[in-house]
Amino acid sequence: MSLLSVPKRLLLGSSLSVSILNQTRKPRRPFCFNMSSESSHPLTHSLTLPTQLGQPIQIIAAPGVSDSQFRTAIESSLFKQWLKNLESENGILATGSFLLKQVLVQGVDMFGQRIGFLKFKADIFEKETGQKIPGIVFARGPAVTVLILLSSEGETYAVLTEQVRAPTGRLVLELPAGMLDADKGDFVGTAVREVEEETGIHLKLGDMVDLTAFLDPSTGGRVFPSPGGCDEEISVFLYRGCVGKEIITQLQGKETGLREKGELIKVHVVPYKELWRMTADAKVLMAIALYEMAKGGGLLPLKT
């Protein structure tokens, strides 16, 4: 039973609502290939890209990668999107100055029935010099994050989540965020769902503002937090609302997350003016920069 003593859904103005949940809620083929899986040889995959028609690319499974993992990796949206990026307008292979010779698939992590993380090494060379460029890739695909700003009694607050982050060895304060489900591409829907799962706040799709949409079109309208090793690209959304002080109190310290997915989350509410100093989370700092620049440039829609 919830410790909150307020109604499940509070109406905030004529077109805005915040819900504090009683409990945690659960045209052509770009390439062609041939596969070899003889038991006495490493698993291999021959692939041809339109920009390298006469120079097939060898995809090889590293020791320890099973046949099913190898096939899943090659057929995944993560790998196909990476290949597509290579040949995009700003892609490495677009100018003809570089050559992709080989990809070594080193690891596959599954999230249930779908691939979550993919680790591989690409052998890419500059044609003129023969110089090999760094090619270790940790692929996890697109993600979303939301800067939630709640105004109450003259003060603006930001909503953060405290999460256990094994890669850093720390508890980290960060913005609500999540990965997109493979092949769906529903950025704003994913953002709203992640906020509800991680904070218990229900947001309306129409109240969300895509801050990354204000970036120059050449960027693709997303941000890369770590392009030296990871393909992750993040869409940053903004939500602004007005609430009573009791909502701020009820959110503070609220335990949320999908326990079956190992999410042990605690909600924190901090004054927005202090947000930039409260955490080293890159998503927070990116969101502040985008929000302040968009606000200063008069790009934000009027609050209703």
Side-chain angles (χ1 to χ4, degrees), residues 82 106 118-122 135-139 229-231:
W82 179 75
Q106 299 171 310
L118 174 61
K119 170 74 162 41
F120 60 91
K121 183 170 70 172
I136 296 176
V137 180
F138 174 60
C230 183
D231 74 328

mmCIF file with all atom_site columns, all heavy atoms in Angstrom, residues 82 106 118-122 135-139 229-231:
data_model
loop_
_atom_site.group_PDB
_atom_site.id
_atom_site.type_symbol
_atom_site.label_atom_id
_atom_site.label_alt_id
_atom_site.label_comp_id
_atom_site.label_asym_id
_atom_site.label_entity_id
_atom_site.label_seq_id
_atom_site.pdbx_PDB_ins_code
_atom_site.Cartn_x
_atom_site.Cartn_y
_atom_site.Cartn_z
_atom_site.occupancy
_atom_site.B_iso_or_equiv
_atom_site.pdbx_formal_charge
_atom_site.auth_seq_id
_atom_site.auth_comp_id
_atom_site.auth_asym_id
_atom_site.auth_atom_id
_atom_site.pdbx_PDB_model_num
ATOM 1   N N   . TRP A 1 82  ? 24.373 0.579   -37.462 1.00 0.00 ? 82  TRP A N   1
ATOM 2   C CA  . TRP A 1 82  ? 25.783 0.975   -37.548 1.00 0.00 ? 82  TRP A CA  1
ATOM 3   C C   . TRP A 1 82  ? 26.255 0.961   -39.002 1.00 0.00 ? 82  TRP A C   1
ATOM 4   O O   . TRP A 1 82  ? 26.932 1.885   -39.452 1.00 0.00 ? 82  TRP A O   1
ATOM 5   C CB  . TRP A 1 82  ? 26.632 0.047   -36.687 1.00 0.00 ? 82  TRP A CB  1
ATOM 6   C CG  . TRP A 1 82  ? 28.096 0.377   -36.732 1.00 0.00 ? 82  TRP A CG  1
ATOM 7   C CD1 . TRP A 1 82  ? 28.733 1.421   -36.106 1.00 0.00 ? 82  TRP A CD1 1
ATOM 8   C CD2 . TRP A 1 82  ? 29.116 -0.340  -37.437 1.00 0.00 ? 82  TRP A CD2 1
ATOM 9   N NE1 . TRP A 1 82  ? 30.078 1.396   -36.383 1.00 0.00 ? 82  TRP A NE1 1
ATOM 10  C CE2 . TRP A 1 82  ? 30.341 0.320   -37.196 1.00 0.00 ? 82  TRP A CE2 1
ATOM 11  C CE3 . TRP A 1 82  ? 29.112 -1.475  -38.241 1.00 0.00 ? 82  TRP A CE3 1
ATOM 12  C CZ2 . TRP A 1 82  ? 31.552 -0.114  -37.735 1.00 0.00 ? 82  TRP A CZ2 1
ATOM 13  C CZ3 . TRP A 1 82  ? 30.314 -1.926  -38.775 1.00 0.00 ? 82  TRP A CZ3 1
ATOM 14  C CH2 . TRP A 1 82  ? 31.517 -1.234  -38.527 1.00 0.00 ? 82  TRP A CH2 1
ATOM 15  N N   . GLN A 1 106 ? 32.607 -9.685  -30.730 1.00 0.00 ? 106 GLN A N   1
ATOM 16  C CA  . GLN A 1 106 ? 33.251 -10.145 -29.500 1.00 0.00 ? 106 GLN A CA  1
ATOM 17  C C   . GLN A 1 106 ? 32.291 -10.502 -28.374 1.00 0.00 ? 106 GLN A C   1
ATOM 18  O O   . GLN A 1 106 ? 32.644 -11.270 -27.480 1.00 0.00 ? 106 GLN A O   1
ATOM 19  C CB  . GLN A 1 106 ? 34.218 -9.059  -29.013 1.00 0.00 ? 106 GLN A CB  1
ATOM 20  C CG  . GLN A 1 106 ? 35.325 -8.753  -30.011 1.00 0.00 ? 106 GLN A CG  1
ATOM 21  C CD  . GLN A 1 106 ? 36.141 -7.546  -29.607 1.00 0.00 ? 106 GLN A CD  1
ATOM 22  O OE1 . GLN A 1 106 ? 35.588 -6.491  -29.294 1.00 0.00 ? 106 GLN A OE1 1
ATOM 23  N NE2 . GLN A 1 106 ? 37.454 -7.686  -29.605 1.00 0.00 ? 106 GLN A NE2 1
ATOM 24  N N   . LEU A 1 118 ? 25.923 -4.971  -27.812 1.00 0.00 ? 118 LEU A N   1
ATOM 25  C CA  . LEU A 1 118 ? 26.732 -5.677  -28.799 1.00 0.00 ? 118 LEU A CA  1
ATOM 26  C C   . LEU A 1 118 ? 28.131 -5.081  -28.783 1.00 0.00 ? 118 LEU A C   1
ATOM 27  O O   . LEU A 1 118 ? 28.295 -3.868  -28.874 1.00 0.00 ? 118 LEU A O   1
ATOM 28  C CB  . LEU A 1 118 ? 26.104 -5.540  -30.187 1.00 0.00 ? 118 LEU A CB  1
ATOM 29  C CG  . LEU A 1 118 ? 26.886 -6.109  -31.377 1.00 0.00 ? 118 LEU A CG  1
ATOM 30  C CD1 . LEU A 1 118 ? 27.077 -7.614  -31.213 1.00 0.00 ? 118 LEU A CD1 1
ATOM 31  C CD2 . LEU A 1 118 ? 26.145 -5.808  -32.680 1.00 0.00 ? 118 LEU A CD2 1
ATOM 32  N N   . LYS A 1 119 ? 29.130 -5.943  -28.650 1.00 0.00 ? 119 LYS A N   1
ATOM 33  C CA  . LYS A 1 119 ? 30.529 -5.497  -28.626 1.00 0.00 ? 119 LYS A CA  1
ATOM 34  C C   . LYS A 1 119 ? 31.247 -6.069  -29.848 1.00 0.00 ? 119 LYS A C   1
ATOM 35  O O   . LYS A 1 119 ? 31.202 -7.276  -30.090 1.00 0.00 ? 119 LYS A O   1
ATOM 36  C CB  . LYS A 1 119 ? 31.186 -5.990  -27.342 1.00 0.00 ? 119 LYS A CB  1
ATOM 37  C CG  . LYS A 1 119 ? 32.692 -5.816  -27.259 1.00 0.00 ? 119 LYS A CG  1
ATOM 38  C CD  . LYS A 1 119 ? 33.111 -4.403  -27.028 1.00 0.00 ? 119 LYS A CD  1
ATOM 39  C CE  . LYS A 1 119 ? 34.550 -4.295  -26.521 1.00 0.00 ? 119 LYS A CE  1
ATOM 40  N NZ  . LYS A 1 119 ? 35.528 -5.171  -27.144 1.00 0.00 ? 119 LYS A NZ  1
ATOM 41  N N   . PHE A 1 120 ? 31.894 -5.194  -30.624 1.00 0.00 ? 120 PHE A N   1
ATOM 42  C CA  . PHE A 1 120 ? 32.665 -5.670  -31.773 1.00 0.00 ? 120 PHE A CA  1
ATOM 43  C C   . PHE A 1 120 ? 33.818 -4.730  -32.082 1.00 0.00 ? 120 PHE A C   1
ATOM 44  O O   . PHE A 1 120 ? 33.887 -3.612  -31.565 1.00 0.00 ? 120 PHE A O   1
ATOM 45  C CB  . PHE A 1 120 ? 31.773 -5.867  -33.008 1.00 0.00 ? 120 PHE A CB  1
ATOM 46  C CG  . PHE A 1 120 ? 31.051 -4.635  -33.488 1.00 0.00 ? 120 PHE A CG  1
ATOM 47  C CD1 . PHE A 1 120 ? 31.616 -3.784  -34.430 1.00 0.00 ? 120 PHE A CD1 1
ATOM 48  C CD2 . PHE A 1 120 ? 29.772 -4.340  -33.021 1.00 0.00 ? 120 PHE A CD2 1
ATOM 49  C CE1 . PHE A 1 120 ? 30.944 -2.662  -34.892 1.00 0.00 ? 120 PHE A CE1 1
ATOM 50  C CE2 . PHE A 1 120 ? 29.084 -3.215  -33.477 1.00 0.00 ? 120 PHE A CE2 1
ATOM 51  C CZ  . PHE A 1 120 ? 29.674 -2.373  -34.421 1.00 0.00 ? 120 PHE A CZ  1
ATOM 52  N N   . LYS A 1 121 ? 34.730 -5.211  -32.921 1.00 0.00 ? 121 LYS A N   1
ATOM 53  C CA  . LYS A 1 121 ? 35.884 -4.412  -33.335 1.00 0.00 ? 121 LYS A CA  1
ATOM 54  C C   . LYS A 1 121 ? 35.904 -4.331  -34.854 1.00 0.00 ? 121 LYS A C   1
ATOM 55  O O   . LYS A 1 121 ? 35.879 -5.357  -35.536 1.00 0.00 ? 121 LYS A O   1
ATOM 56  C CB  . LYS A 1 121 ? 37.190 -5.008  -32.814 1.00 0.00 ? 121 LYS A CB  1
ATOM 57  C CG  . LYS A 1 121 ? 38.417 -4.165  -33.155 1.00 0.00 ? 121 LYS A CG  1
ATOM 58  C CD  . LYS A 1 121 ? 39.667 -4.634  -32.426 1.00 0.00 ? 121 LYS A CD  1
ATOM 59  C CE  . LYS A 1 121 ? 40.143 -5.961  -32.942 1.00 0.00 ? 121 LYS A CE  1
ATOM 60  N NZ  . LYS A 1 121 ? 41.466 -6.324  -32.374 1.00 0.00 ? 121 LYS A NZ  1
ATOM 61  N N   . ALA A 1 122 ? 35.931 -3.115  -35.374 1.00 0.00 ? 122 ALA A N   1
ATOM 62  C CA  . ALA A 1 122 ? 35.914 -2.894  -36.821 1.00 0.00 ? 122 ALA A CA  1
ATOM 63  C C   . ALA A 1 122 ? 37.310 -2.493  -37.304 1.00 0.00 ? 122 ALA A C   1
ATOM 64  O O   . ALA A 1 122 ? 37.938 -1.608  -36.724 1.00 0.00 ? 122 ALA A O   1
ATOM 65  C CB  . ALA A 1 122 ? 34.909 -1.795  -37.165 1.00 0.00 ? 122 ALA A CB  1
ATOM 66  N N   . GLY A 1 135 ? 38.784 1.266   -33.695 1.00 0.00 ? 135 GLY A N   1
ATOM 67  C CA  . GLY A 1 135 ? 37.520 0.696   -34.153 1.00 0.00 ? 135 GLY A CA  1
ATOM 68  C C   . GLY A 1 135 ? 36.781 -0.157  -33.158 1.00 0.00 ? 135 GLY A C   1
ATOM 69  O O   . GLY A 1 135 ? 35.924 -0.959  -33.544 1.00 0.00 ? 135 GLY A O   1
ATOM 70  N N   . ILE A 1 136 ? 37.055 -0.031  -31.855 1.00 0.00 ? 136 ILE A N   1
ATOM 71  C CA  . ILE A 1 136 ? 36.319 -0.795  -30.851 1.00 0.00 ? 136 ILE A CA  1
ATOM 72  C C   . ILE A 1 136 ? 34.957 -0.146  -30.630 1.00 0.00 ? 136 ILE A C   1
ATOM 73  O O   . ILE A 1 136 ? 34.868 1.056   -30.382 1.00 0.00 ? 136 ILE A O   1
ATOM 74  C CB  . ILE A 1 136 ? 37.099 -0.870  -29.535 1.00 0.00 ? 136 ILE A CB  1
ATOM 75  C CG1 . ILE A 1 136 ? 38.404 -1.652  -29.740 1.00 0.00 ? 136 ILE A CG1 1
ATOM 76  C CG2 . ILE A 1 136 ? 36.261 -1.516  -28.433 1.00 0.00 ? 136 ILE A CG2 1
ATOM 77  C CD1 . ILE A 1 136 ? 39.287 -1.711  -28.520 1.00 0.00 ? 136 ILE A CD1 1
ATOM 78  N N   . VAL A 1 137 ? 33.897 -0.939  -30.729 1.00 0.00 ? 137 VAL A N   1
ATOM 79  C CA  . VAL A 1 137 ? 32.526 -0.414  -30.666 1.00 0.00 ? 137 VAL A CA  1
ATOM 80  C C   . VAL A 1 137 ? 31.718 -1.137  -29.593 1.00 0.00 ? 137 VAL A C   1
ATOM 81  O O   . VAL A 1 137 ? 31.661 -2.369  -29.564 1.00 0.00 ? 137 VAL A O   1
ATOM 82  C CB  . VAL A 1 137 ? 31.803 -0.571  -32.027 1.00 0.00 ? 137 VAL A CB  1
ATOM 83  C CG1 . VAL A 1 137 ? 30.377 -0.025  -31.940 1.00 0.00 ? 137 VAL A CG1 1
ATOM 84  C CG2 . VAL A 1 137 ? 32.585 0.115   -33.143 1.00 0.00 ? 137 VAL A CG2 1
ATOM 85  N N   . PHE A 1 138 ? 31.111 -0.352  -28.709 1.00 0.00 ? 138 PHE A N   1
ATOM 86  C CA  . PHE A 1 138 ? 30.101 -0.860  -27.790 1.00 0.00 ? 138 PHE A CA  1
ATOM 87  C C   . PHE A 1 138 ? 28.769 -0.311  -28.267 1.00 0.00 ? 138 PHE A C   1
ATOM 88  O O   . PHE A 1 138 ? 28.491 0.881   -28.133 1.00 0.00 ? 138 PHE A O   1
ATOM 89  C CB  . PHE A 1 138 ? 30.399 -0.410  -26.360 1.00 0.00 ? 138 PHE A CB  1
ATOM 90  C CG  . PHE A 1 138 ? 29.328 -0.780  -25.363 1.00 0.00 ? 138 PHE A CG  1
ATOM 91  C CD1 . PHE A 1 138 ? 28.996 -2.103  -25.142 1.00 0.00 ? 138 PHE A CD1 1
ATOM 92  C CD2 . PHE A 1 138 ? 28.647 0.190   -24.654 1.00 0.00 ? 138 PHE A CD2 1
ATOM 93  C CE1 . PHE A 1 138 ? 28.012 -2.454  -24.228 1.00 0.00 ? 138 PHE A CE1 1
ATOM 94  C CE2 . PHE A 1 138 ? 27.663 -0.146  -23.741 1.00 0.00 ? 138 PHE A CE2 1
ATOM 95  C CZ  . PHE A 1 138 ? 27.343 -1.473  -23.528 1.00 0.00 ? 138 PHE A CZ  1
ATOM 96  N N   . ALA A 1 139 ? 27.958 -1.174  -28.864 1.00 0.00 ? 139 ALA A N   1
ATOM 97  C CA  . ALA A 1 139 ? 26.690 -0.736  -29.469 1.00 0.00 ? 139 ALA A CA  1
ATOM 98  C C   . ALA A 1 139 ? 25.535 -1.002  -28.519 1.00 0.00 ? 139 ALA A C   1
ATOM 99  O O   . ALA A 1 139 ? 25.354 -2.121  -28.045 1.00 0.00 ? 139 ALA A O   1
ATOM 100 C CB  . ALA A 1 139 ? 26.461 -1.449  -30.799 1.00 0.00 ? 139 ALA A CB  1
ATOM 101 N N   . GLY A 1 229 ? 33.709 5.464   -28.099 1.00 0.00 ? 229 GLY A N   1
ATOM 102 C CA  . GLY A 1 229 ? 33.612 4.031   -27.868 1.00 0.00 ? 229 GLY A CA  1
ATOM 103 C C   . GLY A 1 229 ? 32.223 3.454   -27.979 1.00 0.00 ? 229 GLY A C   1
ATOM 104 O O   . GLY A 1 229 ? 32.054 2.245   -28.049 1.00 0.00 ? 229 GLY A O   1
ATOM 105 N N   . CYS A 1 230 ? 31.188 4.331   -28.007 1.00 0.00 ? 230 CYS A N   1
ATOM 106 C CA  . CYS A 1 230 ? 29.802 3.851   -27.956 1.00 0.00 ? 230 CYS A CA  1
ATOM 107 C C   . CYS A 1 230 ? 28.951 4.570   -28.989 1.00 0.00 ? 230 CYS A C   1
ATOM 108 O O   . CYS A 1 230 ? 29.129 5.765   -29.244 1.00 0.00 ? 230 CYS A O   1
ATOM 109 C CB  . CYS A 1 230 ? 29.237 4.081   -26.558 1.00 0.00 ? 230 CYS A CB  1
ATOM 110 S SG  . CYS A 1 230 ? 27.554 3.456   -26.313 1.00 0.00 ? 230 CYS A SG  1
ATOM 111 N N   . ASP A 1 231 ? 28.015 3.829   -29.585 1.00 0.00 ? 231 ASP A N   1
ATOM 112 C CA  . ASP A 1 231 ? 27.137 4.395   -30.613 1.00 0.00 ? 231 ASP A CA  1
ATOM 113 C C   . ASP A 1 231 ? 25.907 5.087   -30.034 1.00 0.00 ? 231 ASP A C   1
ATOM 114 O O   . ASP A 1 231 ? 25.111 5.660   -30.779 1.00 0.00 ? 231 ASP A O   1
ATOM 115 C CB  . ASP A 1 231 ? 26.672 3.288   -31.563 1.00 0.00 ? 231 ASP A CB  1
ATOM 116 C CG  . ASP A 1 231 ? 25.629 2.366   -30.927 1.00 0.00 ? 231 ASP A CG  1
ATOM 117 O OD1 . ASP A 1 231 ? 25.697 2.155   -29.692 1.00 0.00 ? 231 ASP A OD1 1
ATOM 118 O OD2 . ASP A 1 231 ? 24.760 1.857   -31.662 1.00 0.00 ? 231 ASP A OD2 1
#
